[in-house]
Amino acid sequence: MTGPPRQAGVPAGGVRRQEADRAALDRFLYGMPYADLLAHGPKLPLNTAWRHLLHRTGAVEAVRAACGGWAPAVDTPESEQTIAALVPRSGPRADTVVDVVAVAGSALAETRRRDEAFAGYDERWAGGRGALRDLVPADIGAVRSRLAPPGALLAHHGLATPHHLQDGRLLRVSAGLAAYSSVPHFVPGPLAEDAATTAMMDARTRAELTLPAPSVLLFHDGVPFDAVADDGDLVEAAGEGRLPLGDAPMVMGGVLTAREDGHLDDGLGWLLTAATDRGTGAPLYCLVPVPYGGHPAGRALYGYAALLAFENWRPPPELPRRDGSGRRDREIKKLARTRQARDGAFHGVHLLDYEPPPEEPAARARSAAGAGELAAGTWRRAHVRPRVRYGIRDGNGRKVGPVYKGNAVLGVTYEYRHRWVARTRIRPDQPLADQETVYAVGGPDWRT
């Protein structure tokens, strides 16, 4: 009888589920129009991201122990083939095939199981269902646990796995390592489109971008690929808050890393993408290694970095005390029902400090002459505004002096900072024009 080899200790039903996972993964990986976002930038090789992740997360030590002292070098030339399996000549697995991908993935297996258990007590995620919008901070567990499904973490005995499926497993485990080694930050739903479509910044502003942690996973409600990739589609998607679902691909955030000095490392980033599987209706998530730059995916990563660098973030709330029973499932079930856990305490999620604007914008009075009046309203793309005055505050949070008056003193009562400005409606008292223009606020070309 022919067929795929069964792994030791895995029942036939488990093998079938793994095959279904791989089929869904194939449909997802090779059906997503990544070229729409990467049209103006080179694709970052996956093996480069893989080597960086192994070293940054510490998984390289597990690989070294399993492979008799061998481990991939972080500075290996990009052209070198990624090693997914190896037959070591020494060490604990001498002369046996070591699944390098599974060994690295074992570093996140236990945390992933806790996330999956937590999501199981939320009716939006139970039974394989999921959400692509109206997310809350606690949803990060369900999202990142689906980045690396159990089938991707199981070891393969032998080299019978087809090459394209090995690439899929490598992408999945890479995504898991990137997500679980990053500090999660959540952007509220009303700012999702703005976060993913921030206008490109000049070179000086980009050089000042810093991150609050060595690696950050920023996520938000799903934003259609078209809205991220094209100005006209941005207006259409944002005009009435419409976010098409179905099997339309989405952008839901990204993973950014910092250099040793805390500034943004723009040599490597990941974009969090999602789509609904046409066969099962379940959401599929993927972290795609992408380069920074002036193309749509690169601009999205820079926009996320601007939010992290220039805006205020609330720390995760205090997690309620556990019952002390020692039973993991029982404790997780109780915690999943608490407000603090829903607000991100269980997963350590930081929340953007955001106050929504008034429901109805104030009407703008027309000038008597009427000269220069706009006949229709429009939208201005989210952007970063340099040299905005911020009042300096004391230990109690009160301003120490004036910010704009005659007694204002730079460095004493106020300071200049960059400010991230959300998408702005220009002349809200006027109807939107039939043909809208989104202004990319900024100055020099991004390459300067």
Side-chain angles (χ1 to χ4, degrees):
M1 180 179 295
T2 62
R6 184 188 302 180
Q7 300 173 26
V10 178
V15 173
R16 286 194 292 271
R17 283 194 298 273
Q18 293 172 29
E19 293 172 351
D21 285 346
R22 291 170 188 158
L25 177 62
D26 272 351
R27 291 195 298 271
F28 180 62
L29 294 178
Y30 302 106
M32 294 284 280
Y34 295 126
D36 292 348
L37 293 177
L38 301 173
H40 304 293
K43 184 178 180 181
L44 188 68
L46 177 59
N47 60 337
T48 301
W50 173 246
R51 291 194 305 272
H52 280 262
L53 280 170
L54 287 179
H55 287 266
R56 183 168 61 79
T57 62
V60 68
E61 298 301 328
V63 173
R64 182 177 288 112
C67 296
W70 175 89
V74 69
D75 56 352
T76 307
E78 293 185 357
S79 60
E80 181 174 323
Q81 183 178 2
T82 301
I83 297 179
L86 190 72
V87 181
R89 297 305 178 189
S90 61
R93 301 186 186 182
D95 298 323
T96 61
V97 177
V98 175
D99 188 337
V100 177
V101 178
V103 170
S106 64
L108 58 93
E110 177 58 28
T111 309
R112 189 209 158 276
R113 282 193 292 267
R114 293 176 68 249
D115 278 353
E116 192 171 48
F118 185 96
Y121 297 115
D122 187 335
E123 62 180 9
R124 297 176 306 155
W125 297 93
R129 300 191 303 274
L132 294 179
R133 64 174 302 176
D134 297 327
L135 300 182
V136 297
D139 289 329
I140 184 58
V143 171
R144 66 184 181 185
S145 66
R146 284 160 172 75
L147 288 171
L153 305 182
L154 293 175
H156 286 265
H157 300 289
L159 298 175
T161 307
H163 180 70
H164 71 285
L165 290 183
Q166 286 192 4
D167 287 345
R169 290 180 65 239
L170 184 66
L171 181 59
R172 285 298 200 178
V173 175
S174 296
L177 290 174
Y180 279 100
S181 61
S182 302
V183 179
H185 285 63
F186 178 67
V187 176
L191 294 180
E193 297 101 320
D194 303 347
T197 59
T198 299
M200 192 63 184
M201 294 155 279
D202 57 58
R204 181 175 179 179
T205 301
R206 296 198 307 272
E208 298 179 23
L209 294 173
T210 58
L211 297 184
S215 181
V216 177
L217 169 58
L218 184 144
F219 71 108
H220 52 70
D221 283 359
V223 177
F225 264 53
D226 290 343
V228 177
D230 184 79
D231 285 355
D233 289 330
L234 167 64
V235 175
E236 182 180 353
E240 297 181 358
R242 294 183 295 107
L243 289 176
L245 295 177
D247 59 357
M250 299 277 180
V251 175
M252 298 188 68
V255 171
L256 302 88
T257 59
R259 301 194 298 263
E260 292 185 0
D261 61 1
H263 284 80
L264 174 69
D265 181 1
D266 57 4
L268 179 65
W270 289 265
L271 205 63
L272 176 60
T273 59
T276 302
D277 183 77
R278 297 180 182 181
T280 65
L284 298 170
Y285 302 93
C286 188
L287 271 176
V288 186
V290 296
Y292 285 78
H295 52 93
R299 288 201 305 267
L301 290 175
Y302 275 124
Y304 296 151
L307 265 176
L308 293 166
F310 305 136
E311 292 301 292
N312 296 322
W313 295 82
R314 304 176 197 163
E318 289 278 338
L319 190 65
R321 294 183 60 185
R322 304 191 180 189
D323 59 12
S325 65
R327 296 175 56 186
R328 185 192 67 176
D329 291 343
R330 178 178 175 180
E331 291 186 348
I332 291 178
K333 182 177 182 179
K334 286 188 174 183
L335 290 173
R337 296 174 176 175
T338 64
R339 174 189 57 81
Q340 294 92 330
R342 181 179 176 84
D343 290 343
F346 184 80
H347 303 93
V349 181
H350 295 249
L351 179 64
L352 182 64
D353 193 357
Y354 165 70
E355 293 184 6
E359 295 268 340
E360 295 292 334
R364 178 174 173 178
R366 294 177 178 271
S367 63
E373 290 290 331
L374 293 178
T378 186
W379 288 99
R380 176 174 291 151
R381 179 183 287 272
H383 60 280
V384 175
R385 183 178 297 167
R387 292 184 61 80
V388 175
R389 290 193 183 193
Y390 280 79
I392 297 176
R393 300 177 183 269
D394 59 20
N396 297 320
R398 292 189 294 266
K399 292 181 180 179
V400 299
V403 179
Y404 287 100
K405 298 180 181 179
N407 294 328
V409 179
L410 178 61
V412 178
T413 63
Y414 74 93
E415 61 184 348
Y416 283 115
R417 289 166 49 187
H418 289 81
R419 181 183 178 187
W420 183 87
V421 181
R423 184 180 67 252
T424 307
R425 176 75 181 273
I426 307 300
R427 287 306 302 270
D429 57 309
Q430 296 284 0
L432 291 173
D434 293 335
Q435 299 293 328
E436 287 302 316
T437 301
V438 174
Y439 298 93
V441 178
D445 185 84
W446 70 273
R447 296 179 181 85
T448 58

